[in-house]
Amino acid sequence: MKTNRRKFFQIAGVAGAGVLSGVDIVQYQSSRHKETALASIQEAVAKQHSQQFNMCGYAAPKLETVRIGFIGLGNRGPGAVERMSNIEGVQITALCDKNPEGVKRGQMILEKHGMPSAKEYSGSEDAWKQLCESPDVDLVYICTPWSLHTPMSVYAMENGKHAATEVPAAVNGRGSMAAC
Ligand SMILES: NC(=O)c1ccc[n+]([C@@H]2O[C@H](COP(=O)([O-])OP(=O)(O)OC[C@H]3O[C@@H](n4cnc5c(N)ncnc54)[C@H](O)[C@@H]3O)[C@@H](O)[C@H]2O)c1
């Protein structure tokens, strides 16, 4: 009995030492990891970086008159035309929808507000490209289905226009990168 008790304490003692050693190893590894992580952070902070342009705080030069071209005059587009028609300093110079009825709806809103008729782009899936290329447009306002938001925004910007789009501006990561 005595022998068994002694044996038990011997085994328990060894196991206890083993457990303690295990904790020590984990702590050691963890502190080594922290040291390495800290060293890599310190190294990164010490590096000199050249400043790269980003859009934070960017303000585009002021336009006295903002000439807007709308693409997509289904449900949402006419409401946007209506809202913009009430803003001082806005001209609506172009209206586009592949469906000519949509363009007609937009023209009626302009008429109601006593504004001049806008140039019409319609009758094909690609007519919007001509609107984006037009020298009479400063801002392209996009109210088409989701899949067209990114290509239309990007094409407008490639043609030197500001672009505003209904959400979402992009439906995947690649589109987000393209829009940036
Ligand atoms: N309706 C809402 O309450 C609401 C709210 C928030 C956001 N949105 C977004 O606004 C956008 C438009 O919504 P909606 O309800 O007006 O949709 P809608 O389908 O009624 O209108 C889209 C219009 O885009 C036109 N169009 C499609 N392909 C075209 C092309 N290649 N060239 C020119 N015109 C083209 C269609 O003919 C149609 O008139 C959608 O992306 C939607 O998610 C809508």
Side-chain angles (χ1 to χ4, degrees):
M1 185 73 176
K2 267 186 180 174
T3 322
N4 283 346
R5 277 171 60 96
R6 193 172 297 127
K7 265 193 181 161
F8 170 78
F9 285 119
Q10 278 171 352
I11 292 163
V14 170
V19 169
L20 281 176
S21 299
V23 170
D24 286 349
I25 288 164
V26 170
Q27 279 178 348
Y28 173 74
Q29 283 177 339
S30 158
S31 70
R32 283 285 300 153
H33 173 71
K34 278 185 195 153
E35 274 173 32
T36 319
L38 181 61
S40 65
I41 290 168
Q42 284 170 334
E43 193 184 323
V45 168
K47 272 189 189 159
Q48 295 293 315
H49 297 276
S50 58
Q51 180 65 45
Q52 289 182 351
F53 176 77
N54 68 54
M55 294 302 285
C56 293
Y58 174 77
K62 183 181 173 187
L63 299 170
E64 289 308 326
T65 303
V66 180
R67 300 168 304 165
I68 307 179
F70 287 87
I71 312 175
L73 295 153
N75 285 317
R76 188 91 178 146
V81 174
E82 177 72 45
R83 285 190 296 280
M84 291 297 140
S85 299
N86 287 300
I87 297 177
E88 209 177 307
V90 163
Q91 280 177 9
I92 294 168
T93 51
L95 294 172
C96 171
D97 196 295
K98 65 178 185 180
N99 172 9
E101 286 304 311
V103 174
K104 250 189 221 163
R105 271 198 294 276
Q107 296 287 31
M108 282 164 65
I109 295 167
L110 301 186
E111 197 181 330
K112 186 181 86 179
H113 285 271
M115 296 171 92
S117 300
K119 189 160 179 193
E120 300 184 359
Y121 299 84
S122 190
S124 86
E125 289 283 339
D126 287 337
W128 61 271
K129 288 190 175 170
Q130 290 162 36
L131 181 151
C132 292
E133 292 160 9
S134 165
D136 302 328
V137 171
D138 301 308
L139 166 67
V140 178
Y141 196 131
I142 299 154
C143 304
T144 52
W146 286 18
S147 61
L148 294 169
H149 292 180
T150 305
M152 288 177 169
S153 301
V154 170
Y155 194 74
M157 290 188 280
E158 283 172 351
N159 280 275
K161 308 298 191 285
H162 297 286
T165 180
E166 287 290 335
V167 289
V171 290
N172 56 36
R174 188 184 294 181
S176 305
M177 291 305 289
C180 289

